[in-house]
Amino acid sequence: MSAEKQKDLELYLDELKTIVKKRGLKYSTQREQILKVLFNAKNHLTPEEIYQEVKKENTSIGLATVYRTLSFLESEDIVSSISFGSEGKKYELNRGEHHDHMICIKCGKIIEFFNEELERLQEEIAKKENFKLITHQMNMYGICEECQKKDQ
Amino acid sequence: MSAEKQKDLELYLDELKTIVKKRGLKYSTQREQILKVLFNAKNHLTPEEIYQEVKKENTSIGLATVYRTLSFLESEDIVSSISFGSEGKKYELNRGEHHDHMICIKCGKIIEFFNEELERLQEEIAKKENFKLITHQMNMYGICEECQKKDQ
DNA sequence: CTCCTTGCAAACCGTTTGCATGCCC
DNA sequence: GGGCATGCAAACGGTTTGCAAGGAG
């Protein structure tokens, strides 16, 4: 792990410590481990996947703890979730800028993207309806480049 | 019910008959009743709500039938579903143009909107990633005009 | 020492499935 | 009459909850 990445992780852990203290709650190994897993994740993870990952170094963790921690982290805006139809939710660590997702319906791959104009357009649409926009979720479903090639 | 509305419903029922025939399936009272409920709905309905509604004139319908019918109608592109976080899915009849949704997190109201530029922008974003766009779902969460007034 | 957090198991809830029966064509 | 559709109940999968035990402050 690079020194740079290490430092980022520290920042997240510090943020967690601060928030936990501010809320009069406690800093636990489990919360730290779950946050670490999310930090190291290359893609979006389901609660079950996070559970399995944490289990590698803490065999006694319970699935319920993962769910409880994810709800907490999401309410504190440390992580975000995207939900796919009935296939449940996936979580990711909030790193800076908001972004949206393209989801490949063949292989399940998730491509993240950020588009300035899209953000602006939403504000504009909301304003038209006097709707106070808080957050949004834009999911584009289709077939990714690789899967298109495979099909041919 | 106005004559005009009546005529529209007939068109939907005819469409259902045609599709059902084309697939070698059967036209049943239940399918017709579920489609009618969706046609008459003022807002998006959950499977449970549809079930309760149909039950008013057909007490023996089963929830499973509603689910099976909704899957079928959705696969045939007669209805669409939107999914909200963990709160499940809601269904609506496809009437012409595609549209997106603003969802009030206070009262649950759903405001539909269609924005030409948004559609175009998506195509553009997908093209950049060589992603073959099939469908999308854009949900904007916030507070509707009425709920904003209430809060003051 | 206190209260929050945890692990476990049971409960929950929306959705799906197997099966015998019913109904459309 | 044959095969799809239905109703019912059971199964399912993800998520939540009650509770007693454990751990942080």
Side-chain angles (χ1 to χ4, degrees), chain A residues 8 10 23 29 32 55 94 116 125 149 151:
Chain A
D8 280 355
E10 291 304 322
R23 300 267 177 274
T29 317
E32 180 177 313
K55 228 175 180 179
N94 284 338
E116 189 78 52
I125 294 168
K149 282 176 187 160
D151 279 358

Side-chain angles (χ1 to χ4, degrees), chain A residues 17 24-25 27 46 53 76-78 110-111 115-116 130:
Chain A
K17 274 173 201 154
L25 305 177
Y27 189 79
T46 62
E53 198 58 35
E76 295 297 338
D77 213 40
I78 298 175
I110 300 173
I111 303 169
N115 185 290
E116 189 78 52
N130 287 318

Side-chain angles (χ1 to χ4, degrees), chain B residues 18-148:
Chain B
T18 309
I19 287 181
V20 142
K21 183 171 289 178
K22 185 162 56 182
R23 299 267 177 277
L25 304 177
K26 297 182 177 163
Y27 188 79
S28 69
T29 318
Q30 289 86 336
R31 285 178 177 162
E32 181 176 312
Q33 288 171 326
I34 290 168
L35 186 54
K36 273 188 191 168
V37 165
L38 286 162
F39 177 81
N40 290 319
K42 284 164 208 67
N43 30 39
H44 303 65
L45 301 175
T46 62
E48 180 66 32
E49 287 166 339
I50 295 167
Y51 171 61
Q52 293 302 340
E53 199 57 36
V54 174
K55 228 174 181 180
K56 288 179 185 168
E57 53 175 76
N58 174 359
T59 51
S60 74
I61 193 173
L63 227 199
T65 302
V66 174
Y67 276 100
R68 283 187 279 234
T69 302
L70 288 173
S71 301
F72 171 66
L73 293 177
E74 188 169 22
S75 73
E76 295 297 341
D77 214 37
I78 297 176
V79 307
S80 299
S81 64
I82 28 171
S83 39
F84 309 92
S86 37
E87 302 93 59
K89 275 181 169 185
K90 292 192 173 188
Y91 289 83
E92 63 177 326
L93 191 59
N94 284 338
R95 311 176 194 254
E97 200 81 67
H98 156 88
H99 59 260
D100 290 297
H101 301 95
M102 288 181 220
I103 300 136
C104 178
I105 58 176
K106 293 267 182 191
C107 69
K109 185 166 66 187
I110 300 172
I111 302 169
E112 302 182 346
F113 69 89
F114 172 77
N115 185 291
E116 188 78 54
E117 200 182 340
L118 183 62
E119 305 294 316
R120 185 195 55 69
L121 190 53
Q122 282 169 68
E123 291 292 347
E124 196 182 306
I125 294 168
K127 193 169 280 179
K128 252 185 230 169
E129 300 281 347
N130 287 318
F131 189 81
K132 186 174 170 188
L133 186 59
I134 293 174
T135 180
H136 75 266
Q137 194 177 317
M138 160 82 125
N139 291 341
M140 290 168 49
Y141 298 92
I143 302 171
C144 72
E145 194 170 5
E146 284 160 41
C147 286
Q148 286 175 58

Side-chain angles (χ1 to χ4, degrees), chain A residues 28-86:
Chain A
S28 70
T29 317
Q30 288 87 337
R31 286 179 177 161
E32 180 177 313
Q33 288 171 327
I34 290 167
L35 187 53
K36 273 188 190 168
V37 165
L38 285 162
F39 177 81
N40 291 319
K42 287 165 207 65
N43 30 40
H44 302 64
L45 301 175
T46 62
E48 180 65 30
E49 287 166 340
I50 295 167
Y51 171 62
Q52 293 302 337
E53 198 58 35
V54 174
K55 228 175 180 179
K56 288 180 186 168
E57 50 175 75
N58 174 359
T59 51
S60 73
I61 194 175
L63 227 199
T65 302
V66 174
Y67 277 100
R68 285 188 277 233
T69 302
L70 288 173
S71 300
F72 171 65
L73 294 176
E74 189 168 22
S75 73
E76 295 297 338
D77 213 40
I78 298 175
V79 307
S80 298
S81 64
I82 28 172
S83 40
F84 309 91
S86 39

